């Protein structure tokens, strides 16, 4: 649904790489789930996909995707 990945927590804010950092719906959804303020930064879709592939194995990614689809589907 959203093209995002967390980068770090900085000054009590969750820093997210997003293909559309102006998407207030995505930001609000993440704020609600994380119960933290969000600081969006821009990234390309390919950069986000590569970061996800590099940081999550196939099985973990499938589980996370299924959970997110269930939550926001």
């Amino acid at each position: 649904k959203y093209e995002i990945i967390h980068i770090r927590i900085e000054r009590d804010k969750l820093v997210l790489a997003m293909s559309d950092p102006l998407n207030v719906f995505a930001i609000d959804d993440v704020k609600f789930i994380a119960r933290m303020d969000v600081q969006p930064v821009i990234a390309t879709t390919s950069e986000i996909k590569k970061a996800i592939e590099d940081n999550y194995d196939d099985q973990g990614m499938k589980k996370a995707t299924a959970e997110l689809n269930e939550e926001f589907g």
Side-chain angles (χ1 to χ4, degrees), residues 1 6 8 11-12 14-15 18 22 27 31 42 45 52-54 56 63-64 71-73:
K1 186 172 181 176
H6 74 281
R8 65 184 171 275
R11 296 187 186 113
D12 296 324
L14 182 60
V15 181
M18 303 177 65
L22 301 178
I27 293 168
K31 277 184 187 180
I42 195 164
T45 298
I52 291 169
E53 290 170 4
D54 290 349
Y56 299 94
K63 181 181 176 189
E71 182 78 24
F72 296 108

Side-chain angles (χ1 to χ4, degrees), residues 29-67:
D29 284 348
V30 173
K31 277 184 187 180
F32 179 77
I33 292 169
R35 296 182 184 165
M36 297 181 76
D37 285 331
V38 170
Q39 176 63 49
V41 296
I42 195 164
T44 65
T45 298
S46 59
E47 290 170 327
I48 293 169
K49 287 181 180 180
K50 173 130 177 50
I52 291 169
E53 290 170 4
D54 290 349
N55 289 286
Y56 299 94
D57 66 15
D58 235 11
Q59 190 171 358
M61 196 156 101
K62 286 178 185 174
K63 181 181 176 189
T65 300
E67 289 172 359

